[in-house]
């Protein structure tokens, strides 16, 4: 393999020092693998485990919860290790991304393989799901922290974040489209209105479902590798961007420092509840569309509409937060989905209404994608201003945010699947009992609405407004200029000596 210094270098900055469009695009594409795999797992893993792998709902809930919980635990651990990593010719973040990619691809593919030995199924999915989540963490935590290392300018980071969120939502579209269209084309036809089980697990029809999931996973694996390669070749870290000084700190000291910082805790807790709301919707929407609304043959197209709508909405939300401020964008963007969540369960099943709700939900999903990652750098900057002698901990800030969102995802998936078990979910049934349909309505409407309002109530206490954010920007620039002047004086003095 060529050393990093001998790799071809793209034009990363223009003459004024700003990030080039090429650099922003390469950085943004690097975020797509996380969302491509995440959307495929989020929308389809539950229904895959129940209807294709044909696991008992209890074991499926255990796999989903333990996998996500394990993933959450690895985030702060990897964040700490990344923060202690030494600088290399490839940077501090890039080696993690480069090394983890091939192993993540292999474990992802094996998640969608149904082993022939029945008694090993639960252990198979548990092991490979946990392994993939760990390896994905080794990719995503360094990638998330990379935001702080590509530029010192807030506007440039915000712009790069907007590019990234557009690519990530587009990645969700691609993941949903690949998984949905390939798998949807192989779905076993079903006549509604009865509880008949489609097959016993060994029929030709079920075999076609298994092959479809393997084909979709193989396509996604290829895209994962390509996106990682573009990121590696097209983005260079700036060694001086992420910190003003370096002060080694233990894991627990870093955790106590980060979790004791009020603005960070309020931001994370607010988005924790809103993220949990959208995760409940994401994890159960395919089942809701297939069974409760009766559109089994259209669910993949409805999911695709949600993600397309989200992709097209990202530029609007980037303009909105620039024009009206990030807190205002949170209130309007997150609450936008609430009336449509209520509408979809209150009216009689209609395919047209389903598509209208999908478009509206996508607009809100875009805000939920963009805003947390746009606001986390503001909190890190605020922390640097308040603690100028304690820096170099960007990865810890990002990893703990990812920890909480992933833990919330594990809780949502585990509770969802257990709730369906208690309600009497029929594996590969043509339709479901009334109790299951009621449970699905609660999981995609009532519960998310309550969680959204709880998150917004917490977010009202978030103290970093536009005035404080601009003030921090000026203070940090003054601190950097002061450090640069000190370094210049030291160099000149050394030359004289």
């Amino acid at each position: 393999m060529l050393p990093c210094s001998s790799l071809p270098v793209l034009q990363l900055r223009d003459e004024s020092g700003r990030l080039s469009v090429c650099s922003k695009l390469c950085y943004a594409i690097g975020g797509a693998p996380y969302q491509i795999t995440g959307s495929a797992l989020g929308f389809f893993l539950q229904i895959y485990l129940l209807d294709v792998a044909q696991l008992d709902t209890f074991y499926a809930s255990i796999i989903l919860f333990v996998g996500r919980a394990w993933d959450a635990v690895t985030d702060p651990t990897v964040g700490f290790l990344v923060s202690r990593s030494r600088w290399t010719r490839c940077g501090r973040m890039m080696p993690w991304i480069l090394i983890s990619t091939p192993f993540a691809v292999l474990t992802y593919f094996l998640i969608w393989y149904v082993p022939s030995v029945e008694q090993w199924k639960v252990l198979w999915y548990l092991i490979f799901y946990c392994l993939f989540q760990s390896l994905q963490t080794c990719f995503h935590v360094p990638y998330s922290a990379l935001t702080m290392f590509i530029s010192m300018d807030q506007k440039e980071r915000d712009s790069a974040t907007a590019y990234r969120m557009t690519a990530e939502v587009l990645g969700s579209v691609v993941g949903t489209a690949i998984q949905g269209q390939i798998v949807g084309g192989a779905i076993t036809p079903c006549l509604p209105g009865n509880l008949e089980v489609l097959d016993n697990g060994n029929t030709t029809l079920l075999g076609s479902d298994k092959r479809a999931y393997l084909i979709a996973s193989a396509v996604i694996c290829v895209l994962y590798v390509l996106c990682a390669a573009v990121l590696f070749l097209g983005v260079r870290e700036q060694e001086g961007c992420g910190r003003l000084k370096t002060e080694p700190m233990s894991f627990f000291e870093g955790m106590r420092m980060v979790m004791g910082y009020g603005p960070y805790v309020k931001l994370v807790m607010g988005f924790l509840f809103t993220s949990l709301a959208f995760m409940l919707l994401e994890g159960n929407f395919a089942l809701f569309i297939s069974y409760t609304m009766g559109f089994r043959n259209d669910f993949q197209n409805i999911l695709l509409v949600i993600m397309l709508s989200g992709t097209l909405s990202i530029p609007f939300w980037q303009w909105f937060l620039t024009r009206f401020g990030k807190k205002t964008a949170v209130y309007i963007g997150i609450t936008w989905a609430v009336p449509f969540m209520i509408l979809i369960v209150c009216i009689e099943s209609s395919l047209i209404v389903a598509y209208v709700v999908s478009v509206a939900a996508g607009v809100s999903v875009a805000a939920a994608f963009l805003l947390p990652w746009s606001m986390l750098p503001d909190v890190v900057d605020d922390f640097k201003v308040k603690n100028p002698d304690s820096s170099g901990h960007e990865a810890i800030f990002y990893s703990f945010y990812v920890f909480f969102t992933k833990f919330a995802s594990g809780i949502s998936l585990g509770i969802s699947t257990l709730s369906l078990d208690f309600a009497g979910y029929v594996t590969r049934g043509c339709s479901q009992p009334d109790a299951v349909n009621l449970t699905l309505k609660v999981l995609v409407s009532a519960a998310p609405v309550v969680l959204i309002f709880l998150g917004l109530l917490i977010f009202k206490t978030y103290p970093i407004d536009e005035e404080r954010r601009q003030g921090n920007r000026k203070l940090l620039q003054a601190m950097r200029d002061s450090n640069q002047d000190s370094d210049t004086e030291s160099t000149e003095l050394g030359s004289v000596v």
Side-chain angles (χ1 to χ4, degrees), residues 203-280:
T203 65
T204 303
L205 290 175
L206 182 56
S208 67
D209 288 353
K210 294 177 181 179
R211 285 193 298 274
Y213 275 101
L214 282 177
I215 293 170
S217 66
V219 174
I220 287 175
C221 286
V222 172
L223 290 176
Y224 192 118
V225 174
L226 290 175
C227 292
V230 170
L231 173 68
F232 180 69
L233 294 173
V235 177
R236 292 289 179 269
E237 298 175 49
Q238 296 184 62
E239 188 171 2
C241 276
R243 55 180 183 266
L244 301 172
K245 299 179 182 179
T246 301
E247 181 181 287
M249 183 175 291
S250 72
F251 173 79
F252 291 105
E253 287 175 334
M255 181 176 66
R256 185 167 55 251
M257 173 192 69
V258 170
M259 297 310 299
Y261 192 60
Y264 177 76
V265 173
K266 291 171 182 176
L267 180 73
V268 169
M269 293 304 294
F271 280 122
L272 175 65
F273 282 97
T274 57
S275 297
L276 182 56
F278 285 102
M279 287 171 187
L280 279 174

Side-chain angles (χ1 to χ4, degrees), residues 220-435:
I220 287 175
C221 286
V222 172
L223 290 176
Y224 192 118
V225 174
L226 290 175
C227 292
V230 170
L231 173 68
F232 180 69
L233 294 173
V235 177
R236 292 289 179 269
E237 298 175 49
Q238 296 184 62
E239 188 171 2
C241 276
R243 55 180 183 266
L244 301 172
K245 299 179 182 179
T246 301
E247 181 181 287
M249 183 175 291
S250 72
F251 173 79
F252 291 105
E253 287 175 334
M255 181 176 66
R256 185 167 55 251
M257 173 192 69
V258 170
M259 297 310 299
Y261 192 60
Y264 177 76
V265 173
K266 291 171 182 176
L267 180 73
V268 169
M269 293 304 294
F271 280 122
L272 175 65
F273 282 97
T274 57
S275 297
L276 182 56
F278 285 102
M279 287 171 187
L280 279 174
L281 180 65
E282 177 188 63
N284 295 281
F285 201 62
L287 291 172
F288 176 78
I289 293 296
S290 298
Y291 294 115
T292 305
M293 298 196 73
F295 303 130
R296 181 182 176 88
N297 297 323
D298 297 283
F299 80 91
Q300 71 273 15
N301 297 323
I302 294 173
L303 297 180
L304 185 58
V305 167
I306 292 177
M307 305 319 299
L308 281 172
S309 173
T311 303
L312 297 175
S313 302
I314 287 286
F316 166 76
W317 288 118
Q318 176 63 20
W319 168 83
F320 190 94
L321 67 86
T322 303
R323 178 67 177 82
F324 299 101
K326 297 181 180 181
K327 288 188 71 171
T328 303
V330 169
Y331 295 134
I332 295 178
I334 300 298
T335 55
W336 173 261
V338 170
F340 298 98
M341 288 179 179
I342 297 172
L343 175 67
I344 199 168
V345 299
C346 290
I347 64 171
E348 188 176 349
S349 294
S350 167
L351 189 59
I352 295 176
V353 171
Y355 277 109
V356 170
V357 169
S358 298
V359 172
V363 174
S364 198
V365 166
F369 263 96
L370 174 64
L371 291 167
W373 299 111
S374 179
M375 298 171 78
L376 272 172
D378 300 336
V379 174
V380 177
D381 285 346
D382 193 74
F383 179 85
K384 287 180 179 179
V385 170
K386 300 294 189 297
N387 302 273
D389 295 324
S390 181
S391 47
H393 310 296
E394 295 81 9
I396 298 178
F397 275 97
Y398 279 80
S399 63
F400 271 99
Y401 172 72
V402 178
F403 163 79
F404 283 112
T405 55
K406 288 183 177 179
F407 192 75
S409 176
I411 292 174
S412 70
L413 287 170
I415 291 176
S416 297
T417 313
L418 278 178
S419 299
L420 294 174
D421 183 30
F422 293 144
Y425 181 85
V426 179
T427 301
R428 292 186 68 81
C430 286
S431 61
Q432 298 294 335
D434 291 339

Side-chain angles (χ1 to χ4, degrees), residues 51-89:
D51 285 359
V52 179
Q54 295 193 311
L55 296 181
D56 182 86
T57 47
F58 173 77
Y59 291 121
S61 68
I62 293 297
I63 291 168
L64 293 170
F65 174 75
V66 172
R68 286 291 189 166
W70 171 256
D71 182 26
V73 170
T74 60
D75 277 297
T77 305
V78 171
F80 171 73
L81 294 174
V82 169
S83 70
R84 299 297 292 266
S85 298
R86 294 184 178 182
W87 189 269
T88 70
R89 286 179 297 179

